[in-house]
Amino acid sequence: MADELTLTVTLRPAALDARRGIVRLHPEVMAALAINPGDPVRLAGSRTTAGVAARAEADASRALLYADDLVIGNLGMRDGGQVTIAPLPVVAARRVTLTGPAEIVAVVSPEMLRLALLGKVVSAGDDVSLLPQDVLPAAAHRSLVEAARRSLANRVGYGWTSALLTVTAVDDTDAALVTMDTVVGWADGYQTTGGTAATPAVRSTAPATTDPEVPPPSLDDLPGLRAQAKELEELLDLGFHHGEVLARLGTKVSLGVLISGPSGSGKSALVRAVAAQVGAHVLPAWAPSLAALTNDAAAQQLRRLAQEARGSAPSVLLFSDVEALAPRDEPGPLATVFHQMLEETVRAGVAVVCTTSRPESVDPSLRAPDLLAVQLAVPLPDAAMRREQLGVLTRGMPLAEDVRLDDVAGRTPGFVAADLGALAREAGVRAALRQKEAESPTVTMADFEAALDVVRPTSMADSMLEVAAVTLDDVGDLADVKQVLTESVLWPLTYPDTFARLGVSPPRGVLLYGPPGCGKTYLVKAIAGTGKANVLSVKGAELLSKWVGDSERAVRELFRRAREAAPTLVFLDEVDALAPTRGQATDGGTADRVVAALLTELDGVEELRNVVVIGATNRPDLIDPALLRPGRLERLVYVPPPDGAARAAILRASSKQVPLDASVDLDALGADLDGFSAADCAALIRESALAAMRDSLEATTVTAANVTTARERVRASLDPAQVAWLSAYAHEHQPSAS
């Protein structure tokens, strides 16, 4: 057994380990050091740090230590070099203190921070990330870690995965393991009490006086929320400072408020900014951490919170993600305790503000007049609001002259403030990577373009369609179909003001139908590739469930997300499976209820603004007729099989990146492919390239002989009978499809 070994450090870019403090070693090296996976190790390079050991692949080098960029940075060895590794005694950290960006410190509670650090070995001076160490997770705390992951995404937005914190102190030792007994806190004095998960403390803050390092956000930094801020400020100012006026008028004001809005849209920041304006203390509490406790421990925490709020008036008690404490479905004993605490606290003159990104999941009884009587909604920002937010977020950035924030705002539909902050940070990071040695670095439009490729709106995380970089210009032929889709889909999403000015309602939806393989799904990807809207993609059968009510709920949830992320394109593939003709199913009525829910969402009381629905099918006769009337999927667009000229155009579009030999005549080839669909033509090009590779891996072009070989392998897939029937259907419905 060796006391220590000297290895060469090398970067391991695997996403699984990224920024989690993991170092991987050859199994024989671990045996020589007598360490097991999950054991802490001390690493000495240009500086000393620590990490958690894990096994590398069996074919890995015995002379290398594999680490991510964060560990290499903590070693001070960006350019590589020799590292000494030794076992580190397992010592549980008693207290860990950190610093971080003001926007992170302001919204991440110490309880959430401790869960993000759980299982990591930290040293003073190290950089750490918020990514949980879930490569070697503690099974007993898996549910808490997953809850922390969700809430971090909600609070911080996309940027939570790239945010870096600095460990300022680890009490009584230079490196130690973070456990559930560790006291974790920010260097400004906020902390969480260690111990079991049943006894977390709740951070108290007085933004106006006790937090000089992390000042509360200014209302000027919250563009788009001024109307909500004014209403909340008037309510709190009246309740806190003008009680005598209310008494003389023989009335009182209820200080219970429910704020709903997309995750990362600034709900908590709004509360902190308004509280600072009226001179009130804010006592934040993360509802999921309370809900994870036993009922007795959670009830004790709620009573302590209420007592602390009453003792430090004027106070605002802020519950984030309140649906965890008072769920709509099956509210338990804890919901009853929370209900009682809320009623008593509001009656005592303390403001209780609850936030949620899922208002439909909150117990409706909380909206009673003596509880959360005031309800505010934080909308998803439109293009003008996003432009204003980008102006605030980039105030401290040296922007190059080519940066067009108006264009960036127009290309970020569905982005909330946290997403835009992540976008600005990513652009800044990319600018820094390009200009490490520059004296006056600047952020260019190219940096924002690169950031737009990786940053996605958090509201679309569950069902964002990953689309290829294609547009309608990349679609071969189908000129008439592309024109109809441009008018029916892109115009309503791009020019809603024009429709309003002319006093007409834009089309609500489009049905694409035609033989399989003729480009219906590819057309939708091309529309999505224009970047004018977010895209939600759902296959028909995905919304169906055997449980009563689940399918209808899935439909409602789909359209709720679409409204939040507007402008949005909702793509329902194989829509005949989702909305068959009612009264003919044998599934106990599930399909009929789904059709009813879909009809209600498309053309119900609640208006569908800036949302366009596209359905695709090769069996339009199976769809419920009510779905095809005006106001729903009113435009029927037939995507026909390609003729000779169209096949040649498709071949040219499919071979843009393929080096074809001059002997390949695409026009003649297209004329010879009778019965081929668009998918068949694309497959022929791929098979031709593979044939060239089979001839020689050094091949530089695809020859006519390769195409002839591929032609023998790829067969026409179109069914003449089906094509004839669909053509007749299209002719019958030509007035609707024109």
Side-chain angles (χ1 to χ4, degrees):
M1 185 184 85
D3 293 334
E4 61 181 39
L5 292 173
T6 300
L7 306 173
T8 301
V9 66
T10 186
L11 179 65
R12 177 184 173 90
L16 183 66
D17 293 351
R19 300 191 172 193
R20 289 171 169 83
I22 302 291
V23 295
R24 291 192 177 266
L25 304 165
H26 191 279
E28 293 182 9
V29 175
M30 296 185 67
L33 291 171
I35 57 177
N36 297 312
D39 286 350
V41 291
R42 187 186 306 278
L43 307 170
S46 299
R47 64 182 299 274
T48 301
T49 184
V52 177
R55 284 195 179 95
E57 293 80 3
D59 58 352
S61 172
R62 296 170 179 79
L64 294 180
L65 178 146
Y66 300 89
D68 63 12
D69 59 339
L70 190 62
V71 173
I72 292 176
N74 288 335
L75 283 166
M77 305 182 68
R78 294 289 185 187
D79 298 325
Q82 299 292 309
V83 175
T84 301
I85 179 171
L88 183 67
V90 180
V91 177
R94 189 174 65 86
R95 183 186 301 269
V96 175
T97 308
L98 303 98
T99 61
E103 64 272 16
I104 301 295
V105 177
V107 299
V108 177
S109 68
E111 297 89 351
M112 202 183 307
L113 181 61
R114 178 174 57 186
L115 292 175
L117 298 179
L118 190 65
K120 296 182 182 180
V121 181
V122 295
S123 303
D126 279 358
D127 287 337
V128 296
S129 75
L130 289 170
L131 285 166
Q133 197 289 91
D134 49 6
V135 177
L136 302 167
H141 307 303
R142 186 186 298 272
S143 61
L144 281 177
V145 171
E146 291 176 352
R149 179 187 291 274
R150 290 192 298 271
S151 286
L152 282 167
N154 290 342
R155 297 285 189 86
V156 185
Y158 183 89
W160 80 276
T161 60
S162 58
L164 290 184
L165 315 174
T166 300
V167 180
T168 59
V170 181
D171 285 8
D172 302 331
T173 184
D174 58 349
L177 182 70
V178 177
T179 70
M180 288 301 291
D181 294 319
T182 303
V183 177
V184 178
W186 296 111
D188 56 21
Y190 299 153
Q191 68 179 33
T192 178
T193 302
T196 65
T199 59
V202 179
R203 180 175 74 181
S204 300
T205 101
T209 57
T210 65
D211 191 8
E213 294 185 16
V214 187
S218 167
L219 292 178
D220 293 334
D221 296 336
L222 301 174
L225 302 182
R226 294 186 180 92
Q228 294 86 347
K230 181 179 180 181
E231 185 175 350
L232 183 60
E233 183 180 356
E234 290 176 348
L235 175 70
L236 297 184
D237 182 62
L238 187 63
F240 289 153
H241 306 303
H242 301 285
E244 70 284 354
V245 177
L246 294 170
R248 286 198 295 269
L249 292 172
T251 186
K252 59 182 180 180
V253 63
S254 176
L255 296 180
V257 182
L258 176 65
I259 303 180
S260 60
S263 300
S265 56
K267 300 183 292 296
S268 297
L270 169 67
V271 176
R272 292 195 304 274
V274 171
Q277 286 288 108
V278 300
H281 299 267
V282 175
L283 286 82
W286 182 39
S289 72
L290 293 173
L293 309 179
T294 63
N295 287 336
D296 291 342
Q300 183 179 357
Q301 284 291 91
L302 288 172
R303 294 189 188 97
R304 190 184 64 77
L305 273 171
Q307 183 177 0
E308 184 178 354
R310 288 193 290 267
S312 58
S315 296
V316 177
L317 191 51
L318 173 61
F319 288 96
S320 302
D321 303 328
V322 70
E323 67 274 7
L325 279 177
R328 182 187 187 96
D329 299 329
E330 300 181 5
L334 182 58
T336 303
V337 174
F338 179 68
H339 192 287
Q340 294 171 344
M341 184 279 298
L342 180 60
E343 184 176 6
E344 295 170 359
T345 306
V346 171
R347 189 184 300 123
V350 174
V352 180
V353 180
C354 299
T355 69
T356 179
S357 59
R358 301 169 56 199
E360 75 284 350
S361 299
V362 178
D363 186 355
S365 65
L366 290 184
R367 296 181 174 89
D370 55 343
L371 297 177
L372 302 181
V374 179
Q375 299 177 41
L376 301 177
V378 175
L380 199 79
D382 56 16
M385 193 185 303
R386 293 195 299 273
R387 171 61 181 86
E388 196 174 353
Q389 289 174 339
L390 283 168
V392 171
L393 293 167
T394 57
R395 276 188 309 211
M397 281 186 171
L399 300 179
E401 293 182 357
D402 67 336
V403 174
R404 302 177 301 278
L405 293 182
D406 289 332
D407 291 351
V408 177
R411 294 179 56 186
T412 50
F415 277 57
V416 293
D419 301 324
L420 294 173
L423 180 70
R425 286 195 297 272
E426 182 68 22
V429 169
R430 291 177 180 268
L433 290 174
R434 287 190 302 101
Q435 308 166 84
K436 292 181 179 178
E437 308 300 329
E439 293 183 3
S440 302
T442 59
V443 181
T444 67
M445 191 65 185
D447 297 318
F448 279 99
E449 295 277 358
L452 283 167
D453 289 337
V454 297
V455 179
R456 291 288 183 266
T458 52
S459 61
M460 309 288 287
D462 292 338
S463 51
M464 189 74 178
L465 176 65
E466 293 295 333
V467 297
V470 295
T471 66
L472 288 175
D473 294 335
D474 299 310
V475 179
D477 197 59
L478 298 178
D480 293 339
V481 174
K482 290 190 287 186
Q483 179 63 28
V484 172
L485 290 177
T486 299
E487 296 175 0
S488 303
V489 179
L490 293 184
W491 284 5
L493 297 175
T494 311
Y495 309 112
D497 296 340
T498 303
F499 282 91
R501 186 170 60 251
L502 295 177
V504 295
S505 299
R508 191 66 53 80
V510 175
L511 177 68
L512 296 177
Y513 67 99
C518 288
K520 299 184 291 296
T521 303
Y522 191 79
L523 279 166
V524 176
K525 288 185 178 182
I527 293 173
T530 62
K532 300 296 185 181
N534 294 306
V535 182
L536 288 171
S537 177
V538 180
K539 290 183 173 60
E542 289 180 359
L543 295 179
L544 299 177
S545 170
K546 66 179 181 180
W547 304 109
V548 175
D550 276 5
S551 299
E552 302 94 293
R553 180 183 302 173
V555 173
R556 292 195 302 270
E557 180 67 14
L558 170 66
F559 281 90
R560 182 189 67 79
R561 292 200 308 270
R563 290 186 184 93
E564 284 187 353
T568 309
L569 173 63
V570 179
F571 177 44
L572 302 177
D573 203 1
E574 305 297 341
V575 69
D576 51 288
L578 177 65
T581 303
R582 285 172 289 182
Q584 299 182 6
T586 58
D587 56 2
T590 299
D592 291 355
R593 292 193 297 270
V594 169
V595 173
L598 190 59
L599 297 177
T600 302
E601 293 292 343
L602 280 171
D603 192 23
V605 175
E606 187 175 0
E607 188 172 357
L608 205 60
R609 295 177 181 272
N610 294 333
V611 177
V612 175
V613 181
I614 296 184
T617 181
N618 52 30
R619 291 299 306 272
D621 57 313
L622 298 183
I623 299 175
D624 191 276
L627 194 62
L628 305 180
R629 74 158 176 79
R632 291 166 181 166
L633 301 185
E634 59 186 75
R635 303 295 297 270
L636 274 65
V637 181
Y638 179 50
V639 182
D643 56 16
R647 290 192 293 267
I650 293 168
L651 289 170
R652 276 190 287 272
S654 301
S655 60
K656 279 185 177 180
Q657 306 300 322
V658 179
L660 296 178
D661 187 78
S663 61
V664 178
D665 186 348
L666 294 182
D667 289 324
L669 180 62
D672 187 49
L673 297 178
D674 190 38
F676 272 55
S677 68
D680 298 332
C681 293
L684 180 63
I685 295 295
R686 288 195 301 272
E687 185 62 33
S688 299
L690 289 174
M693 294 175 64
R694 293 188 192 100
D695 289 345
S696 172
L697 291 177
E698 304 299 327
T700 58
T701 61
V702 176
T703 66
N706 299 140
V707 175
T708 301
T709 302
R711 179 72 177 81
E712 297 173 356
R713 290 174 173 265
V714 180
R715 302 295 181 184
S717 64
L718 290 177
D719 180 358
Q722 185 180 32
V723 171
W725 181 87
L726 285 168
S727 298
Y729 185 92
H731 180 75
E732 181 182 351
H733 295 80
Q734 189 63 34
S736 299
S738 61

